[in-house]
C-alpha cells in the first residue's frame, strides 16, 4: 500500500457527462500528480500541484481541470466526456517538488473510467 | 523536452535466466531516472532510482539498473528471472534543472516463461 488513496475505483458514465476523481496524498506529501493511462497512449502526465498551486502542466485537455485543496487532497474534473476519455487515471504524490531532491513519487491504485 | 524510450513492447525470458529491459532518455539537463513496475489492475510501484553517484543502482526484488550517461541509457536488469517478475515495467525521467514532472516511457511487458 503506497498510502495514496483514490476514489472511486471504478466509474461508468455516459458521453457528455462530467465526473470528479478524488485523490488523498500520502501523509505529509505536498505534491500531487495526475496521470492518464490508456492502451494506445501509455502513461501521460496531466498536471501537478504543490501545496495548492499548479506546478507543472502536461497533456491535459481543456475539458479537464484539477485543483488541490488546503487539506492537500486533489480532485480531477473531467467534463463533456468522450469515448476516448475511457482510461485509468492515476494520482501520485511526493513530499516536495524539485529535481534537486529527485524524490520518488508514489502512485495510488487508480480510478477506472469507462465512458459509454 | 524530456522523453523516454522503451524500444521493446515485450520481452520474453525463461525463468532463471538473466533479464534486461531497455530504456533510453533525453533531457536538456541532468536526469533523475526511475523504474516502476505495474502488476495487473494495480498502481505503479517504485523499484529503484538513480540520483547521483554510483552508476549501478540496486532496488527492490533483486532488480538493478545501470546509468550510462554517454549512451543516455538506464537499463533494468536482474541476474535470475522469476515467473513472479512478469509485469509491465516503466522507465521514467525527471529533469533536475527544469520543472518537476516525471515523464514515463510507454512500458515494456515482461513475460517470464516457466
Amino acid at each position: 500500500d503506497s498510502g495514496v488513496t483514490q476514489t472511486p475505483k471504478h466509474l461508468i458514465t455516459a458521453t457528455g457527462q462530467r465526473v470528479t476523481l478524488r485523490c488523498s496524498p500520502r501523509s505529509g506529501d505536498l505534491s500531487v500528480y495526475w496521470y492518464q493511462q490508456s492502451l494506445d497512449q501509455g502513461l501521460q502526465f496531466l498536471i501537478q500541484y504543490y501545496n495548492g498551486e499548479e506546478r507543472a502542466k502536461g497533456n491535459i485537455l481543456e475539458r479537464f481541470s484539477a485543483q488541490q485543496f488546503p487539506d492537500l487532497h486533489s480532485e480531477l474534473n473531467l467534463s463533456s466526456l468522450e469515448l476516448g476519455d475511457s482510461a485509468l487515471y492515476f494520482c501520485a504524490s511526493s513530499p516536495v517538488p524539485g529535481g534537486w531532491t529527485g524524490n520518488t513519487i508514489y502512485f495510488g491504485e487508480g480510478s477506472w473510467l469507462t465512458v459509454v | 523536452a524530456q522523453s523516454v524510450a522503451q524500444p521493446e513492447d515485450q520481452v520474453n525470458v525463461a525463468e532463471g535466466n538473466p533479464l534486461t529491459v531497455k530504456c533510453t532518455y533525453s533531457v536538456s539537463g541532468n536526469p533523475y531516472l526511475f523504474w516502476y513496475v505495474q502488476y495487473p489492475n494495480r498502481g505503479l510501484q517504485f523499484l529503484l532510482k538513480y540520483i547521483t553517484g554510483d552508476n549501478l543502482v540496486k532496488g527492490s526484488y533483486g532488480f538493478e539498473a545501470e546509468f550510462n550517461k554517454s549512451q543516455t541509457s538506464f537499463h533494468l536488469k536482474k541476474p535470475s528471472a522469476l515467473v513472479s517478475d512478469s509485469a509491465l515495467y516503466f522507465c521514467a525521467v525527471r529533469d533536475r534543472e527544469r520543472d518537476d514532472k516525471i515523464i514515463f516511457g510507454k512500458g515494456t511487458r515482461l513475460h517470464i516463461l516457466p
Side-chain angles (χ1 to χ4, degrees), chain B residues 60-82:
Chain B
S60 306
Y61 312 121
F63 283 94
E64 57 188 30
E66 186 163 14
F67 171 61
N68 188 316
K69 188 171 183 177
S70 63
Q71 297 185 2
T72 61
S73 68
F74 189 57
H75 300 332
L76 181 70
K77 300 181 179 184
K78 187 173 182 179
S80 179
L82 299 172

Side-chain angles (χ1 to χ4, degrees), chain B residues 38-55:
Chain B
Q38 185 181 27
Y39 297 101
N41 302 315
R42 301 298 302 275
L44 278 69
Q45 295 178 34
F46 168 73
L47 274 182
L48 51 80
K49 66 182 177 184
Y50 170 78
I51 304 300
T52 188
D54 193 347
N55 289 342

Side-chain angles (χ1 to χ4, degrees), chain A residues 33 35 55 98-99 105 109, chain B residues 32 36 38 42 94 100 102:
Chain A
Y33 309 74
Y35 287 84
R55 177 72 182 221
I105 64 172
E109 294 294 300
Chain B
Y32 290 120
Y36 285 79
Q38 185 181 27
R42 301 298 302 275
R94 167 184 266 176
D100 311 306
I102 294 183

Side-chain angles (χ1 to χ4, degrees), chain A residues 33 35 37 40-43 45 48 55-58 88 90 94 97-109 112, chain B residues 32 34 36 38 41-46 49-51 88 90 94-107 109:
Chain A
Y33 309 74
Y35 287 84
Q37 185 179 28
D40 56 342
Q41 293 292 321
L43 197 61
F45 169 72
Q48 181 208 353
R55 177 72 182 221
K57 212 166 190 175
L88 183 54
F90 283 113
S94 68
W100 61 90
T101 61
N103 267 324
T104 306
I105 64 172
Y106 295 91
F107 283 79
E109 294 294 300
W112 277 102
Chain B
Y32 290 120
F34 305 82
Y36 285 79
Q38 185 181 27
N41 302 315
R42 301 298 302 275
L44 278 69
Q45 295 178 34
F46 168 73
K49 66 182 177 184
Y50 170 78
I51 304 300
L88 186 57
F90 289 94
R94 167 184 266 176
D95 189 329
R96 296 187 199 204
E97 283 83 27
R98 295 176 66 86
D99 57 33
D100 311 306
K101 59 188 177 185
I102 294 183
I103 301 301
F104 285 80
K106 285 191 173 292
R109 191 161 297 281

Side-chain angles (χ1 to χ4, degrees), chain A residues 4-8 20-25 31-37 43-49 56-60 64-69 72-78 88-93 105 107 110-111, chain B residues 101-102 104:
Chain A
V4 179
T5 303
Q6 290 188 247
T7 56
T20 298
L21 309 180
R22 194 178 192 278
C23 170
S24 294
S31 250
V32 168
Y33 309 74
W34 286 98
Y35 287 84
Q36 179 194 56
Q37 185 179 28
L43 197 61
Q44 297 285 319
F45 169 72
L46 295 178
I47 198 163
Q48 181 208 353
Y49 280 83
K57 212 166 190 175
N59 301 322
I60 188 166
F64 296 179
S65 65
Q67 55 184 325
Q68 187 179 26
F69 294 88
L72 302 177
H73 91 272
S74 178
E75 292 181 356
L76 179 66
N77 300 297
L78 315 174
L88 183 54
Y89 290 85
F90 283 113
C91 173
S93 74
I105 64 172
F107 283 79
S111 291
Chain B
K101 59 188 177 185
I102 294 183
F104 285 80

